[in-house]
Coordinates of all heavy atoms in Angstrom, one line a residue:
M1 N -11.8 14.9 8.0 CA -11.8 14.6 6.6 C -13.0 13.7 6.2 O -13.4 13.0 7.0 CB -10.5 13.8 6.2 CG -9.2 14.6 6.4 SD -8.9 15.6 5.0 CE -7.9 16.8 5.8
S2 N -13.4 13.8 5.0 CA -14.5 13.0 4.5 C -14.0 11.6 4.2 O -12.8 11.4 3.9 CB -15.2 13.6 3.3 OG -14.4 13.5 2.2
S3 N -14.9 10.6 4.1 CA -14.5 9.3 3.8 C -14.0 9.2 2.3 O -13.3 8.2 2.0 CB -15.6 8.3 4.0 OG -16.7 8.6 3.1
D4 N -14.3 10.2 1.5 CA -13.8 10.2 0.1 C -12.3 10.3 0.0 O -11.7 10.0 -1.0 CB -14.5 11.3 -0.7 CG -16.0 11.1 -0.9 OD1 -16.4 9.9 -0.7 OD2 -16.7 12.1 -1.2
S5 N -11.7 10.8 1.0 CA -10.2 11.0 0.9 C -9.4 10.0 1.7 O -8.3 10.2 2.0 CB -9.9 12.4 1.4 OG -10.2 12.6 2.8
K6 N -10.1 8.9 2.2 CA -9.4 7.9 3.0 C -9.2 6.6 2.1 O -10.1 6.2 1.4 CB -10.2 7.5 4.2 CG -10.3 8.6 5.2 CD -11.1 8.1 6.4 CE -11.2 9.3 7.4 NZ -12.0 9.0 8.5
W7 N -7.9 6.1 2.2 CA -7.5 5.0 1.4 C -6.8 4.0 2.2 O -6.1 4.3 3.2 CB -6.6 5.4 0.3 CG -7.2 6.5 -0.6 CD1 -7.1 7.9 -0.4 CD2 -7.9 6.3 -1.8 NE1 -7.7 8.5 -1.4 CE2 -8.2 7.6 -2.3 CE3 -8.3 5.2 -2.6 CZ2 -8.9 7.8 -3.5 CZ3 -9.0 5.4 -3.7 CH2 -9.3 6.7 -4.2
M8 N -6.9 2.7 1.9 CA -6.1 1.6 2.5 C -5.2 1.2 1.4 O -5.6 0.8 0.3 CB -7.0 0.5 2.9 CG -6.2 -0.7 3.5 SD -5.5 -0.3 5.1 CE -6.9 -0.1 6.1
V9 N -3.9 1.3 1.7 CA -2.9 0.9 0.7 C -2.0 -0.2 1.3 O -1.5 -0.1 2.4 CB -1.9 2.1 0.4 CG1 -0.9 1.7 -0.7 CG2 -2.7 3.3 -0.1
G10 N -2.0 -1.3 0.5 CA -1.2 -2.5 1.0 C 0.0 -2.7 0.1 O -0.1 -2.6 -1.1
F11 N 1.1 -3.0 0.7 CA 2.3 -3.4 0.0 C 2.6 -4.9 0.4 O 2.7 -5.2 1.6 CB 3.5 -2.6 0.4 CG 3.4 -1.1 0.0 CD1 3.2 -0.1 0.9 CD2 3.6 -0.8 -1.3 CE1 3.1 1.2 0.5 CE2 3.5 0.5 -1.7 CZ 3.3 1.5 -0.8
R12 N 2.9 -5.7 -0.6 CA 3.3 -7.1 -0.4 C 4.8 -7.1 -0.6 O 5.3 -6.7 -1.7 CB 2.6 -8.1 -1.3 CG 3.2 -9.5 -1.1 CD 2.5 -10.5 -2.0 NE 1.2 -10.7 -1.4 CZ 0.2 -11.4 -2.0 NH1 0.5 -12.0 -3.1 NH2 -0.9 -11.6 -1.4
F13 N 5.6 -7.5 0.4 CA 7.0 -7.5 0.3 C 7.6 -8.9 0.3 O 6.9 -9.8 0.9 CB 7.7 -6.8 1.5 CG 7.3 -5.4 1.7 CD1 6.3 -4.9 2.6 CD2 8.1 -4.4 1.0 CE1 6.1 -3.6 2.8 CE2 7.8 -3.0 1.2 CZ 6.8 -2.7 2.1
R14 N 8.7 -9.1 -0.3 CA 9.4 -10.4 -0.2 C 10.6 -10.1 0.6 O 11.4 -9.2 0.3 CB 9.8 -11.0 -1.6 CG 10.6 -12.2 -1.4 CD 10.9 -13.0 -2.7 NE 9.6 -13.4 -3.3 CZ 8.9 -14.5 -2.9 NH1 9.3 -15.2 -1.8 NH2 7.8 -14.9 -3.5
S15 N 10.8 -10.9 1.7 CA 11.9 -10.7 2.6 C 12.8 -11.9 2.7 O 12.2 -13.0 2.6 CB 11.4 -10.4 4.0 OG 12.3 -10.5 5.0
E16 N 14.1 -11.8 2.7 CA 14.9 -12.9 2.9 C 14.7 -13.6 4.2 O 14.8 -14.8 4.3 CB 16.4 -12.5 2.8 CG 16.8 -12.2 1.4 CD 18.3 -11.9 1.3 OE1 19.0 -11.7 2.3 OE2 18.8 -11.7 0.2
V17 N 14.3 -12.8 5.2 CA 14.2 -13.4 6.6 C 12.8 -14.0 6.8 O 12.7 -15.1 7.3 CB 14.4 -12.2 7.6 CG1 14.2 -12.7 9.0 CG2 15.8 -11.7 7.4
R18 N 11.8 -13.3 6.4 CA 10.4 -13.8 6.7 C 9.6 -14.3 5.5 O 8.4 -14.6 5.7 CB 9.7 -12.6 7.4 CG 10.3 -12.3 8.7 CD 9.4 -11.3 9.5 NE 10.0 -11.1 10.8 CZ 10.3 -9.9 11.2 NH1 10.1 -8.9 10.5 NH2 10.8 -9.8 12.4
G19 N 10.1 -14.3 4.4 CA 9.3 -14.7 3.2 C 8.5 -13.5 2.7 O 8.9 -12.4 2.7
V20 N 7.2 -13.8 2.5 CA 6.3 -12.8 2.0 C 5.5 -12.2 3.2 O 5.0 -12.9 4.0 CB 5.3 -13.4 1.0 CG1 4.3 -12.4 0.5 CG2 6.0 -13.9 -0.2
V21 N 5.5 -10.9 3.3 CA 4.7 -10.2 4.3 C 4.0 -9.0 3.6 O 4.4 -8.5 2.6 CB 5.6 -9.6 5.4 CG1 6.3 -10.7 6.2 CG2 6.7 -8.6 4.8
E22 N 2.8 -8.7 4.2 CA 2.0 -7.6 3.7 C 1.8 -6.6 4.8 O 1.6 -6.9 5.9 CB 0.6 -8.1 3.2 CG 0.7 -8.8 1.9 CD -0.6 -8.9 1.2 OE1 -1.1 -7.9 0.8 OE2 -1.1 -10.0 1.1
H23 N 2.0 -5.3 4.4 CA 1.8 -4.2 5.4 C 0.7 -3.3 4.7 O 0.7 -3.0 3.5 CB 3.0 -3.4 5.6 CG 4.0 -4.1 6.5 ND1 4.8 -3.3 7.4 CD2 4.3 -5.4 6.7 CE1 5.5 -4.2 8.1 NE2 5.2 -5.4 7.7
F24 N -0.2 -2.8 5.6 CA -1.3 -2.0 5.1 C -1.2 -0.6 5.8 O -0.9 -0.6 7.0 CB -2.7 -2.6 5.4 CG -2.9 -3.9 4.5 CD1 -2.5 -5.1 5.0 CD2 -3.5 -3.8 3.3 CE1 -2.7 -6.2 4.2 CE2 -3.7 -4.9 2.5 CZ -3.3 -6.1 3.0
Y25 N -1.5 0.4 5.1 CA -1.4 1.8 5.6 C -2.7 2.5 5.3 O -3.2 2.5 4.2 CB -0.2 2.5 5.0 CG 1.1 1.8 5.2 CD1 1.6 0.8 4.4 CD2 1.8 2.2 6.3 CE1 2.8 0.2 4.6 CE2 3.0 1.5 6.6 CZ 3.5 0.5 5.8 OH 4.7 -0.1 6.0
L26 N -3.2 3.1 6.3 CA -4.4 4.0 6.2 C -4.0 5.4 5.9 O -3.2 6.0 6.7 CB -5.3 3.9 7.5 CG -6.6 4.7 7.4 CD1 -7.5 4.2 6.4 CD2 -7.3 4.7 8.8
V27 N -4.4 5.9 4.7 CA -4.0 7.2 4.3 C -5.2 8.1 4.3 O -6.2 7.7 3.7 CB -3.3 7.1 2.9 CG1 -2.9 8.5 2.4 CG2 -2.1 6.2 2.9
D28 N -5.1 9.3 4.9 CA -6.2 10.2 5.0 C -5.8 11.5 4.3 O -4.7 12.0 4.5 CB -6.6 10.4 6.4 CG -7.9 11.1 6.6 OD1 -8.6 11.4 5.6 OD2 -8.2 11.5 7.7
G29 N -6.7 12.1 3.6 CA -6.4 13.5 3.1 C -5.9 13.6 1.7 O -5.4 14.6 1.3
T30 N -5.9 12.5 1.0 CA -5.4 12.5 -0.4 C -6.6 12.4 -1.3 O -7.5 11.7 -1.1 CB -4.4 11.4 -0.7 OG1 -5.0 10.2 -0.5 CG2 -3.1 11.6 0.1
A31 N -6.6 13.1 -2.5 CA -7.7 13.1 -3.4 C -7.8 11.9 -4.3 O -8.8 11.6 -4.8 CB -7.7 14.4 -4.2
G32 N -6.6 11.3 -4.5 CA -6.7 10.2 -5.5 C -5.7 9.1 -5.2 O -5.0 9.1 -4.2
T33 N -5.7 8.0 -6.0 CA -4.8 6.9 -5.7 C -3.3 7.2 -5.8 O -2.6 6.6 -5.1 CB -5.2 5.7 -6.7 OG1 -5.0 6.2 -8.1 CG2 -6.6 5.3 -6.5
A34 N -2.9 8.1 -6.7 CA -1.5 8.4 -6.8 C -1.0 9.1 -5.5 O 0.1 8.7 -5.0 CB -1.3 9.3 -8.0
G35 N -1.8 10.0 -5.0 CA -1.4 10.6 -3.7 C -1.4 9.6 -2.6 O -0.5 9.7 -1.7
A36 N -2.4 8.7 -2.6 CA -2.4 7.7 -1.5 C -1.2 6.8 -1.6 O -0.6 6.4 -0.5 CB -3.7 6.9 -1.6
R37 N -0.9 6.4 -2.8 CA 0.3 5.5 -2.9 C 1.6 6.2 -2.5 O 2.4 5.6 -1.8 CB 0.4 5.0 -4.4 CG 1.5 4.0 -4.5 CD 1.8 3.3 -5.7 NE 1.1 3.6 -6.9 CZ 1.0 2.7 -7.9 NH1 1.5 1.5 -7.8 NH2 0.5 3.0 -9.0
R38 N 1.8 7.4 -2.8 CA 3.0 8.2 -2.4 C 3.0 8.3 -0.9 O 4.1 8.1 -0.3 CB 3.0 9.6 -3.1 CG 3.6 9.6 -4.5 CD 3.8 11.0 -5.0 NE 2.7 11.8 -5.0 CZ 1.8 11.9 -5.9 NH1 1.9 11.1 -7.0 NH2 0.7 12.7 -5.8
A39 N 1.9 8.7 -0.3 CA 1.9 8.8 1.2 C 2.2 7.5 1.9 O 3.0 7.5 2.8 CB 0.5 9.4 1.6
A40 N 1.6 6.4 1.4 CA 1.9 5.1 2.0 C 3.3 4.7 1.8 O 3.9 4.1 2.7 CB 0.9 4.1 1.4
A41 N 3.9 5.0 0.6 CA 5.3 4.6 0.4 C 6.2 5.4 1.3 O 7.2 4.8 1.7 CB 5.6 4.9 -1.1
Q42 N 5.9 6.6 1.6 CA 6.7 7.4 2.6 C 6.7 6.7 3.9 O 7.7 6.7 4.6 CB 6.3 8.8 2.6 CG 6.6 9.6 1.4 CD 6.1 11.0 1.4 OE1 5.2 11.3 2.2 NE2 6.6 11.9 0.6
M43 N 5.5 6.2 4.3 CA 5.4 5.5 5.6 C 6.1 4.2 5.6 O 6.7 3.8 6.6 CB 3.9 5.3 6.0 CG 3.1 6.6 6.3 SD 1.4 6.2 6.9 CE 0.6 6.4 5.3
A44 N 6.0 3.5 4.5 CA 6.6 2.1 4.4 C 8.1 2.2 4.2 O 8.8 1.2 4.6 CB 6.0 1.4 3.2
G45 N 8.7 3.2 3.6 CA 10.1 3.2 3.3 C 11.0 2.9 4.4 O 11.8 1.9 4.3
P46 N 11.0 3.6 5.5 CA 12.0 3.3 6.6 C 11.7 2.0 7.3 O 12.6 1.3 7.6 CB 11.7 4.5 7.6 CG 11.1 5.6 6.8 CD 10.3 4.9 5.7
A47 N 10.4 1.6 7.4 CA 10.1 0.3 8.0 C 10.6 -0.8 7.1 O 11.1 -1.8 7.6 CB 8.6 0.2 8.2
S48 N 10.5 -0.7 5.8 CA 11.0 -1.8 4.9 C 12.5 -1.9 5.0 O 13.0 -3.1 4.9 CB 10.5 -1.5 3.5 OG 11.2 -0.4 2.9
E49 N 13.2 -0.8 5.1 CA 14.7 -0.9 5.2 C 15.1 -1.6 6.6 O 16.0 -2.4 6.6 CB 15.3 0.5 5.1 CG 15.1 1.1 3.8 CD 15.4 2.5 3.7 OE1 15.9 3.1 4.7 OE2 15.1 3.2 2.7
R50 N 14.4 -1.3 7.6 CA 14.8 -1.9 8.9 C 14.5 -3.3 9.0 O 15.1 -4.1 9.7 CB 14.0 -1.2 10.1 CG 14.5 0.2 10.4 CD 13.9 0.7 11.7 NE 12.5 0.6 11.8 CZ 11.6 1.6 11.4 NH1 12.2 2.7 10.9 NH2 10.3 1.5 11.4
A51 N 13.4 -3.8 8.3 CA 13.0 -5.2 8.3 C 13.7 -6.0 7.2 O 13.3 -7.2 7.0 CB 11.5 -5.3 8.2
D52 N 14.6 -5.5 6.5 CA 15.3 -6.2 5.4 C 14.4 -6.7 4.3 O 14.5 -7.8 3.8 CB 16.1 -7.4 6.0 CG 17.2 -7.0 6.9 OD1 17.8 -6.0 6.6 OD2 17.4 -7.7 7.9
R53 N 13.3 -6.0 4.0 CA 12.5 -6.3 2.9 C 13.2 -5.9 1.6 O 13.6 -4.8 1.5 CB 11.1 -5.7 3.0 CG 10.3 -6.3 4.1 CD 8.9 -5.7 4.2 NE 8.5 -5.9 5.5 CZ 8.6 -4.9 6.4 NH1 8.9 -3.7 6.1 NH2 8.2 -5.2 7.7
L54 N 13.2 -6.8 0.7 CA 14.0 -6.6 -0.5 C 13.2 -6.0 -1.7 O 13.6 -5.2 -2.4 CB 14.6 -7.9 -1.0 CG 15.6 -8.5 0.0 CD1 16.2 -9.8 -0.6 CD2 16.7 -7.5 0.2
E55 N 12.0 -6.5 -1.9 CA 11.2 -6.0 -3.0 C 9.7 -5.9 -2.8 O 9.2 -6.7 -2.0 CB 11.5 -6.9 -4.3 CG 11.0 -8.3 -4.1 CD 11.3 -9.2 -5.3 OE1 12.4 -9.7 -5.3 OE2 10.4 -9.3 -6.2
V56 N 9.1 -5.0 -3.4 CA 7.7 -4.9 -3.4 C 7.1 -5.7 -4.5 O 7.5 -5.5 -5.7 CB 7.2 -3.4 -3.5 CG1 5.7 -3.3 -3.6 CG2 7.7 -2.5 -2.4
Q57 N 6.3 -6.7 -4.2 CA 5.7 -7.5 -5.2 C 4.4 -7.0 -5.7 O 4.0 -7.3 -6.8 CB 5.5 -8.9 -4.6 CG 6.8 -9.6 -4.4 CD 6.6 -11.1 -4.0 OE1 5.7 -11.4 -3.2 NE2 7.3 -12.0 -4.6
R58 N 3.6 -6.4 -4.8 CA 2.3 -5.9 -5.2 C 1.9 -4.7 -4.4 O 2.3 -4.6 -3.2 CB 1.3 -7.1 -5.0 CG -0.1 -6.7 -5.4 CD -1.1 -7.8 -5.1 NE -1.3 -7.8 -3.6 CZ -2.2 -8.4 -3.0 NH1 -3.1 -9.1 -3.7 NH2 -2.3 -8.4 -1.7
V59 N 1.1 -3.9 -5.0 CA 0.5 -2.7 -4.3 C -1.0 -2.9 -4.5 O -1.5 -3.1 -5.6 CB 1.0 -1.4 -4.9 CG1 0.3 -0.2 -4.2 CG2 2.5 -1.2 -4.8
Q60 N -1.8 -2.7 -3.4 CA -3.2 -2.8 -3.5 C -3.8 -1.6 -2.9 O -3.4 -1.2 -1.7 CB -3.7 -4.1 -2.8 CG -5.2 -4.2 -2.8 CD -5.6 -5.5 -2.1 OE1 -5.2 -6.6 -2.5 NE2 -6.5 -5.4 -1.1
I61 N -4.7 -0.9 -3.6 CA -5.3 0.3 -3.1 C -6.8 0.2 -3.0 O -7.4 -0.2 -4.0 CB -4.9 1.6 -3.9 CG1 -3.4 1.7 -3.9 CG2 -5.6 2.8 -3.4 CD1 -2.9 2.8 -4.8
Q62 N -7.4 0.5 -1.9 CA -8.9 0.4 -1.7 C -9.3 1.7 -1.1 O -8.7 2.3 -0.2 CB -9.3 -0.8 -0.9 CG -9.0 -2.1 -1.5 CD -9.2 -3.2 -0.6 OE1 -8.3 -3.6 0.1 NE2 -10.4 -3.8 -0.6
R63 N -10.5 2.2 -1.4 CA -11.1 3.3 -0.8 C -11.8 2.9 0.5 O -12.5 1.9 0.5 CB -12.1 4.0 -1.8 CG -12.7 5.3 -1.3 CD -13.8 5.8 -2.2 NE -13.2 6.2 -3.5 CZ -12.7 7.4 -3.8 NH1 -12.6 8.3 -2.9 NH2 -12.2 7.6 -5.0
V64 N -11.7 3.7 1.5 CA -12.5 3.5 2.7 C -13.8 4.1 2.5 O -13.9 5.3 2.2 CB -11.8 4.1 4.0 CG1 -12.6 3.9 5.2 CG2 -10.4 3.5 4.2
V65 N -14.9 3.4 2.6 CA -16.2 3.8 2.3 C -17.2 3.7 3.6 O -17.0 2.8 4.4 CB -16.9 3.1 1.1 CG1 -16.1 3.4 -0.1 CG2 -16.9 1.6 1.4
T66 N -18.1 4.6 3.6 CA -19.2 4.5 4.7 C -20.5 4.5 4.0 O -20.8 5.3 3.1 CB -19.1 5.8 5.6 OG1 -17.8 5.9 6.1 CG2 -20.1 5.7 6.7
D67 N -21.3 3.5 4.4 CA -22.6 3.3 3.8 C -23.7 4.2 4.5 O -23.3 5.0 5.4 CB -23.1 1.9 3.7 CG -23.4 1.3 5.1 OD1 -23.5 2.0 6.1 OD2 -23.5 0.0 5.2
L68 N -24.9 4.2 4.0 CA -25.9 5.1 4.6 C -26.2 4.8 6.1 O -26.7 5.7 6.7 CB -27.2 4.9 3.8 CG -27.2 5.3 2.3 CD1 -28.5 4.9 1.6 CD2 -26.9 6.8 2.2
L69 N -25.9 3.6 6.6 CA -26.1 3.3 8.0 C -24.9 3.7 8.8 O -24.9 3.5 10.0 CB -26.5 1.9 8.1 CG -27.8 1.4 7.4 CD1 -28.0 -0.1 7.6 CD2 -29.0 2.2 8.0
G70 N -23.9 4.1 8.2 CA -22.7 4.5 9.0 C -21.6 3.4 9.1 O -20.7 3.5 9.8
N71 N -21.9 2.3 8.4 CA -20.9 1.1 8.5 C -19.7 1.5 7.6 O -19.9 1.9 6.5 CB -21.6 -0.1 8.0 CG -22.8 -0.5 8.8 OD1 -22.7 -0.5 10.0 ND2 -23.9 -0.9 8.2
V72 N -18.5 1.2 8.1 CA -17.3 1.5 7.4 C -16.8 0.2 6.8 O -16.8 -0.8 7.5 CB -16.3 2.2 8.4 CG1 -15.0 2.4 7.6 CG2 -16.8 3.4 9.0
G73 N -16.3 0.3 5.6 CA -15.8 -0.8 4.9 C -14.8 -0.4 3.8 O -14.4 0.8 3.8
L74 N -14.4 -1.4 3.0 CA -13.4 -1.1 2.0 C -14.0 -1.4 0.6 O -14.8 -2.4 0.5 CB -12.1 -2.0 2.1 CG -11.3 -1.7 3.4 CD1 -10.2 -2.7 3.5 CD2 -10.7 -0.3 3.3
S75 N -13.7 -0.6 -0.4 CA -14.2 -0.8 -1.7 C -13.4 -2.0 -2.3 O -12.4 -2.5 -1.7 CB -13.9 0.4 -2.6 OG -12.6 0.6 -2.8
A76 N -13.8 -2.4 -3.5 CA -13.0 -3.4 -4.2 C -11.6 -2.8 -4.5 O -11.6 -1.5 -4.6 CB -13.7 -3.8 -5.5
P77 N -10.6 -3.5 -4.7 CA -9.3 -2.9 -5.1 C -9.4 -2.1 -6.3 O -10.1 -2.5 -7.3 CB -8.4 -4.1 -5.3 CG -9.0 -5.2 -4.4 CD -10.5 -5.0 -4.5
V78 N -8.8 -1.0 -6.4 CA -8.8 -0.1 -7.5 C -8.0 -0.8 -8.6 O -6.8 -1.2 -8.4 CB -8.1 1.3 -7.2 CG1 -8.1 2.1 -8.4 CG2 -8.9 1.9 -6.1
S79 N -8.6 -1.0 -9.8 CA -7.9 -1.7 -10.9 C -6.9 -0.8 -11.5 O -7.0 0.4 -11.5 CB -9.0 -2.1 -11.9 OG -9.6 -1.0 -12.5
G80 N -5.9 -1.5 -12.0 CA -4.8 -0.8 -12.8 C -3.7 -0.2 -11.9 O -2.7 0.3 -12.5
V81 N -3.8 -0.3 -10.6 CA -2.7 0.2 -9.8 C -2.0 -0.8 -8.9 O -1.0 -0.6 -8.3 CB -3.2 1.4 -8.9 CG1 -3.7 2.5 -9.7 CG2 -4.2 0.9 -7.9
G82 N -2.5 -2.1 -8.9 CA -2.0 -3.0 -7.9 C -1.1 -4.1 -8.5 O -0.2 -4.5 -7.8
A83 N -1.3 -4.5 -9.7 CA -0.6 -5.6 -10.2 C 0.9 -5.3 -10.5 O 1.1 -4.3 -11.1 CB -1.2 -6.2 -11.4
M84 N 1.8 -6.0 -10.0 CA 3.2 -5.9 -10.3 C 3.8 -7.3 -10.5 O 3.4 -8.2 -9.9 CB 4.0 -5.2 -9.1 CG 3.6 -3.8 -8.8 SD 4.6 -3.1 -7.6 CE 6.2 -3.1 -8.5
P85 N 4.7 -7.4 -11.4 CA 5.3 -8.7 -11.7 C 6.0 -9.2 -10.5 O 6.7 -8.5 -9.8 CB 6.2 -8.5 -12.9 CG 6.5 -7.0 -12.9 CD 5.3 -6.3 -12.2
A86 N 5.9 -10.5 -10.2 CA 6.6 -11.1 -9.1 C 8.1 -11.2 -9.4 O 8.9 -11.1 -8.5 CB 6.1 -12.5 -8.8
A87 N 8.5 -11.3 -10.7 CA 9.9 -11.3 -11.0 C 10.2 -10.0 -11.7 O 9.4 -9.4 -12.4 CB 10.2 -12.4 -12.0
G88 N 11.4 -9.5 -11.4 CA 11.8 -8.2 -12.0 C 12.8 -7.5 -11.1 O 13.3 -8.1 -10.1
P89 N 13.0 -6.3 -11.3 CA 14.0 -5.6 -10.5 C 13.6 -5.4 -9.1 O 12.4 -5.3 -8.8 CB 14.2 -4.2 -11.2 CG 12.9 -4.0 -12.0 CD 12.4 -5.4 -12.3
V90 N 14.5 -5.3 -8.2 CA 14.2 -5.0 -6.8 C 13.7 -3.6 -6.7 O 14.4 -2.7 -7.1 CB 15.5 -5.3 -5.9 CG1 15.2 -4.9 -4.5 CG2 15.9 -6.7 -6.0
M91 N 12.6 -3.4 -6.0 CA 12.0 -2.1 -5.9 C 11.7 -1.8 -4.4 O 11.1 -2.6 -3.8 CB 10.8 -1.9 -6.8 CG 11.0 -2.1 -8.2 SD 9.5 -1.9 -9.2 CE 9.4 -0.1 -9.1
S92 N 12.0 -0.6 -4.0 CA 11.6 -0.1 -2.7 C 10.2 0.5 -2.8 O 9.7 0.8 -3.9 CB 12.6 0.9 -2.2 OG 12.4 2.1 -2.9
P93 N 9.5 0.7 -1.6 CA 8.2 1.4 -1.7 C 8.3 2.8 -2.4 O 7.4 3.1 -3.1 CB 7.9 1.6 -0.2 CG 8.6 0.4 0.5 CD 9.9 0.3 -0.3
M94 N 9.4 3.5 -2.2 CA 9.5 4.8 -2.8 C 9.6 4.7 -4.3 O 9.1 5.5 -5.1 CB 10.7 5.6 -2.2 CG 10.4 6.1 -0.8 SD 8.9 7.0 -0.5 CE 9.2 8.5 -1.5
E95 N 10.3 3.7 -4.8 CA 10.4 3.5 -6.3 C 9.1 3.1 -6.9 O 8.7 3.5 -7.9 CB 11.5 2.4 -6.6 CG 12.9 2.8 -6.3 CD 13.9 1.7 -6.3 OE1 13.5 0.6 -5.9 OE2 15.0 1.9 -6.8
V96 N 8.3 2.3 -6.1 CA 7.0 1.9 -6.6 C 6.0 3.1 -6.6 O 5.2 3.2 -7.5 CB 6.4 0.8 -5.6 CG1 4.9 0.6 -5.9 CG2 7.2 -0.4 -5.7
A97 N 6.2 4.1 -5.8 CA 5.3 5.2 -5.7 C 5.5 6.2 -6.9 O 4.6 7.0 -7.2 CB 5.6 6.0 -4.4
R98 N 6.6 6.1 -7.6 CA 6.8 7.0 -8.7 C 6.0 6.7 -9.9 O 5.5 5.7 -10.2 CB 8.3 6.9 -9.1 CG 9.2 7.5 -8.1 CD 10.6 7.6 -8.6 NE 11.4 7.9 -7.4 CZ 12.5 7.2 -7.1 NH1 12.9 6.2 -7.8 NH2 13.2 7.5 -6.1

């Protein structure tokens, strides 16, 4: 796959047991942020249930980029898809992906 279809998607969870934790998922083969978020949510869903994570507080999506010298890095976070209110209804990763 080309680097244009690789994304790093991070979910910040609030857990009764561990407080705030962040998990990041590398998603390959999706054309846009919506597909990347759905794929990452599918990966995060079962893990979040096993770890007693109650709510997703934030989603952060960044494109994996390669410069002319072949160095791999991350773009700035994609605006408009990451901010979620800290207070509000309890949401699972799958609910966030919708």
Side-chain angles (χ1 to χ4, degrees):
M1 296 276 154
S2 73
S3 63
D4 290 344
S5 64
K6 291 183 183 175
W7 304 86
M8 179 68 68
V9 181
F11 292 108
R12 177 178 286 176
F13 297 98
R14 177 169 297 283
S15 167
E16 287 183 351
V17 177
R18 295 192 175 120
V20 176
V21 294
E22 285 197 69
H23 283 213
F24 293 89
Y25 299 88
L26 181 61
V27 178
D28 191 8
T30 61
T33 58
R37 185 177 2 205
R38 277 192 301 276
Q42 288 175 344
M43 290 184 265
S48 67
E49 292 166 7
R50 284 193 306 271
D52 295 325
R53 285 185 209 98
L54 298 178
E55 66 183 83
V56 175
Q57 292 187 314
R58 182 183 71 165
V59 178
Q60 178 176 308
I61 301 176
Q62 295 172 270
R63 184 183 297 272
V64 177
V65 295
T66 304
D67 67 14
L68 294 174
L69 299 175
N71 299 314
V72 178
L74 295 173
S75 71
V78 176
S79 62
V81 296
M84 294 188 64
V90 174
M91 297 182 75
S92 72
M94 291 307 293
E95 292 169 321
V96 169
R98 292 186 193 128

